[in-house]
Amino acid sequence: MSQEKQVFHPNREFAETARIKNMCEFENLTRFAQEDYEGFWGKFAEEKIEWSQPFTNVLDESNAPFVKWFENGKLNVSTQCVDRHLVDKKNKAAIIFEGDRGDSEIITYLQLSQNVNKFANLLKNQFNVKKGDRVVIYMPMIPEAAYAMLACARLGAIHSIVFGGFSAEALKDRVEDAEAKVVITADGAFRKSKPYMLKPVVDTALKDVTIVEKVLVVERNHEEIEWVAGRDYSYNELIKNENAHCEAEEMDSEDPLFLLYTSGSTGKPKGVQHNSAGYILWAQMTMEWVFDVKEDDTYWCTADIGWITGHTYIVYGPLAMGATTVMFEGVPTYPDAGRPWAMVEKHRINQFYTAPTAIRVLHKMGEDEPGKYDISSLKVLGTVGEPIDPPAWKWYYESVGNSKCAIVDTYWQTETGGHMISPVPGATPIKPACATFALPGIMAEILDDDGKKAAVGEKGKLCITRPWPSQIRNVWGDEDRYVSSYFGDATKDGKPVYFSGDGAVYDEDGYITITGRMDDVINVSGHRMGTAEVEAAIKKHDNVAEVAVVGKPHDLKGEGIFAYVVLKSEDTMAEEMEMAKEINGVIKVEIGNIALCDNIVFVDGLPKTRSGKVMRRILRAIAKGEEITQDTSTLEDPSVVGKIEEIVNSCIL
Ligand code: WT7
């Protein structure tokens, strides 16, 4: 039997105490949702959320795709994540912080409550932050980032976290699009035992921005920074003035909780808007079902809070269920590729959640490292962000999981808020590198172009055919873009349905395998990079006339970025080398290091249709070194294809 066809059954002992113990229970839940969709969601919403006013209607689809969940319900997400645990968990660890240099700190639920309340009071009393205001958070992985998120939620302010690896220019775009009133940042933090800086990036970003009134700076590495009088304030100083009681704002189920910008295939990044009740409900339910975290467990997700994984599965999900969540400031390969396993041993971590790209790096750099530590506490291993390749899966399963841990290959997106398709560890028989089945309540279907369910083995569009509680509610400030980006490309029974942008296939047992993006989005190390965004950055170089970027398979990153550039001037080889460096320099300024190109080739022209559309499929094939199977006769100038192939074959930079 080939590795891919092998089936791994859940560990019996684990299954006995799991929340979903077998496929029968799983299927019963799925059936419950299919037969009584509103009953299913209403039951869990009543059970899992502490409402200050109960909802009166489960789902209003009358204005679809603008939907409303749990109408008239009132709650506060910070109360869900903090206050309600004070009754029986006040001395339980809420956050275990592990610093880059090995320093650690345990924050109990009581301490979390005090810190969040004080933080909220600071924002309210000293910065005048009110319900509905937007607050940008540009922070390292330190507990204050979680306090900041929960403090915003407490006041009903909408946070928008910008990943600390984004450049000043990218930060500025996001601050302006969200019209943020306050930015919360840190002087910097530590990486590989050395301080690195964030505040100078904020200074550059805000140079010509007038809407931001105040900048709050958490002093973490205590390096010297500039302070703008009247705008910049030290958190470490101001927090001393605040007390630990701040009334939580009563929020409507559908009041926005946060924005998170993400790339699409066209245009600028979109501000994905998530609202309160539905989001927190599914964050908690998936934590419980997919990771099956128990009362005394310690759970670690290695993501950064700058991405959706960090939002849902470091902060909101774990805290909503009252779990202990680990936050890690450093990088997984420092001081060596055994760091994660040393941390598993040190904190006796039970669930570990990371991305295939990290697994590949840890495998390559430290194949035998897991064996050097006592990692027997592990029960569930998760992966997210991109399809995992079978060799990485095998190493993860055997060497990290000791062939006894379930691997949950969780498929989801920024827009879905939480997991959509994933094994559940006590029930699902697992096939390597396969996301398996939609979770109960999630109506995921692979559809063909006619809106019919795809046949076994036929690649189709991965769609979600009914609204779900944690779905994106809007693209910030742009309702048309929300509708056209997500509900314009697939239909079922003649009605528009949510299309993820991903392709997928069913196998003969109904298992779903994700095949990857069907649009022009590139997945670099599990992070989405929009082609349009990277191309717009490259075009800022004075000497660039035209550019097209595509993804190219990369051993560690999954995909790397491959750019085809037409220059304005004729250049020599040496000048082109210099130009490639300059182009990556521009990307660094415009977006950040995560979008740097692995390959830049200079060509005389791009393959375009007569209407001027760049045929990226051809460029993708050339980058991969594949045969061109597309018909090139419809191109404006078919001869460009051969010329590009020649250049690529001779000079991959
Ligand atoms: C895209 C979403 C969801 C948090 C991290 C990324 C790809 C995600 C899987 C998986 C195959 C996956 C998809 C998706 N993706 N998880 N388990 N198997 N592909 O969030 O930046 O919104 O990216 O990541 O292509 O559309 P994101």
Side-chain angles (χ1 to χ4, degrees), residues 308-378:
I308 191 70
T309 311
H311 285 61
T312 310
Y313 297 112
I314 294 178
V315 179
Y316 286 118
L319 297 178
M321 75 169 291
T324 299
T325 181
V326 174
M327 251 181 121
F328 177 43
E329 179 190 39
V331 292
T333 49
Y334 182 83
D336 55 48
R339 180 74 185 269
W341 324 126
M343 276 178 66
V344 169
E345 178 178 286
K346 176 176 173 187
H347 301 292
R348 307 302 295 151
I349 286 163
N350 306 101
Q351 294 84 13
F352 177 72
Y353 190 29
T354 196
T357 187
I359 299 168
R360 288 192 292 265
V361 169
L362 292 168
H363 181 195
K364 186 171 174 207
M365 292 178 62
E367 185 162 9
D368 302 324
E369 289 296 327
K372 298 184 186 163
Y373 299 90
D374 177 3
I375 55 171
S376 58
S377 55
L378 289 171

Side-chain angles (χ1 to χ4, degrees), residues 1-9 393-394 397-398 429-432 511:
M1 230 191 312
S2 75
Q3 160 90 38
E4 283 92 327
K5 291 280 175 207
Q6 244 175 307
V7 175
F8 296 82
H9 289 275
W393 194 96
K394 187 168 181 277
Y397 185 77
E398 291 172 357
I430 290 170
K431 300 186 185 183
Y511 279 64

Side-chain angles (χ1 to χ4, degrees), residues 236 243 267 538:
N236 309 45
N243 73 49
I538 295 176

Side-chain angles (χ1 to χ4, degrees), residues 143-288:
E144 287 79 3
Y147 308 158
M149 294 164 77
L150 293 164
C152 288
R154 199 160 189 88
L155 300 175
I158 304 166
H159 63 69
S160 173
I161 305 189
V162 179
F163 171 58
F166 277 121
S167 69
E169 204 52 41
L171 174 61
K172 178 183 177 201
D173 283 349
R174 286 157 176 78
V175 164
E176 287 186 328
D177 192 82
E179 296 178 278
K181 172 170 170 178
V182 166
V183 174
I184 304 174
T185 187
D187 43 11
F190 296 95
R191 187 187 292 134
K192 300 188 180 177
S193 285
K194 294 196 182 73
Y196 73 93
M197 304 307 290
L198 287 174
K199 174 64 164 54
V201 184
V202 175
D203 291 336
T204 309
L206 298 186
K207 216 178 310 155
D208 303 313
V209 174
T210 51
I211 38 169
V212 172
E213 295 166 14
K214 297 280 196 295
V215 174
L216 186 65
V217 185
V218 177
E219 294 175 84
R220 161 76 182 146
N221 65 19
H222 302 276
E223 293 292 305
E224 202 162 314
I225 51 171
E226 280 178 24
W227 296 89
V228 176
R231 188 196 72 180
D232 301 350
Y233 295 86
S234 161
Y235 163 86
N236 309 45
E237 288 304 315
L238 296 196
I239 203 73
K240 293 180 190 155
N241 306 329
E242 297 300 343
N243 73 49
H245 179 76
C246 174
E247 206 57 51
E249 187 78 24
E250 195 173 61
M251 304 294 284
D252 191 87
S253 290
E254 288 293 347
D255 279 333
L257 178 64
F258 66 82
L259 310 179
L260 183 57
Y261 284 80
T262 191
S263 300
S265 44
T266 55
K268 284 185 157 206
K270 300 180 278 234
V272 171
Q273 179 188 326
H274 280 290
N275 290 359
S276 303
Y279 171 80
I280 200 66
L281 173 65
W282 191 235
Q284 179 175 339
M285 285 173 69
T286 48
M287 269 308 292
E288 294 176 353

